[in-house]
Amino acid sequence: MDDDGYCERCGHAQPRRRDHQEKELEGVAAVSDRGLRHHRNEDAFALATASLPDGTPAVAAVVCDGVSTAYRPDDASAAAAVAGGDALLAALERGAPVEEAMRGALLTAFDAVAALAEEEAPDGAAHRNSPACTCVSAVVTGEVFTVGWIGDSRAYWVPDDRALPAARLTEDDSWAAAMVAAGLMSEAEAYADERAHAITGWLGADAVEVDPHVAAFRPEGPGVIVVCTDGLWNYAESAAEMAVAVPADARARPLSSARALVGLALDGGGHDNVTVAVLPFPATVSRAGSPPAV
């Protein structure tokens, strides 16, 4: 290995701590992997559990995907995940409405990423794009769960009863989504275009507009929320495909299910970093008492 951590024989990077990470808390689990083609993992996640003022448990996952064409994408995703997760749980614990807390968390994550652009950069780096990432988050509170996002990382709903329809809960901030929304192309045509994954919304100092999307859902039955980067959904894009990919026992075994979904992406070619969080609904945690953990 040379001083930069790369093998002098094959050119591959020495394994880093972020190459593969797993975490499980009561009621939520996540797995992140570098994939098979990238030299580093530019995804990041944060998990947290806390209690609302009335004792209702809150379980949250934040998943971020660094923009590879930007400077320091791995630092951007890490900063957004930590800042967003901390802000979300702090707001919920002091009694803020859930949708307000989610929107504030995304804006806090934006501030954390934008601040990276103000740090002193090595020679030549000042002419590159500012650090940037996408972000998607979900929080389960009682009989409702809330999703917030900026960019093209996604959230899906997969019910326990697979006879019921699964649903994609987010709309991408991307060129393809804009073409479809404008009626200029079909979804199949748009996503087949080489410009499909060019994002139109992100966290970072050079973002044109920062407009977090927030939506709340009240399912009639149990299931799981899958929060993921495009490293997964490129291999299971539609809600129906995601429902097939999610193991039947996902609500009882979220970590095992997150591992299986990452495995699906790796078996499919692992062209990108892949990060997946699985949140059982309703939350499988006891009421009150537990301190927050991130």
Side-chain angles (χ1 to χ4, degrees), residues 6 16-19 21 32 34 38-45 64-82 112-113 116 128 130-134 273:
Y6 288 85
R16 301 175 175 89
R17 183 182 65 85
R18 283 179 64 174
D19 282 356
Q21 293 181 293
S32 182
R34 186 184 71 185
H38 282 233
H39 70 280
R40 64 182 175 188
N41 190 355
E42 296 169 355
D43 288 357
F45 69 84
C64 301
D65 184 354
V67 177
S68 294
T69 56
Y71 178 55
R72 295 172 62 191
D74 50 337
D75 291 336
S77 63
V82 171
V113 178
L116 296 177
R128 304 177 65 178
S130 298
C133 69
T134 67
N273 308 143

Side-chain angles (χ1 to χ4, degrees), residues 48-109:
T49 63
S51 294
L52 305 185
D54 66 359
T56 300
V59 181
V62 180
V63 169
C64 301
D65 184 354
V67 177
S68 294
T69 56
Y71 178 55
R72 295 172 62 191
D74 50 337
D75 291 336
S77 63
V82 171
D86 287 349
L88 177 60
L89 269 295
L92 292 173
E93 288 185 315
R94 65 173 178 264
V98 179
E99 293 185 42
E100 177 185 310
M102 180 66 79
R103 181 177 178 83
L106 288 167
L107 292 174
T108 298

Side-chain angles (χ1 to χ4, degrees), residues 27 59 140 142-144 157 160 219 221-225 251 279-285:
V59 181
V140 178
E143 298 178 352
V144 177
W157 165 250
D160 276 6
V224 295
I225 305 107
R251 192 161 60 91
L279 296 91
F281 179 88
T284 56
V285 297

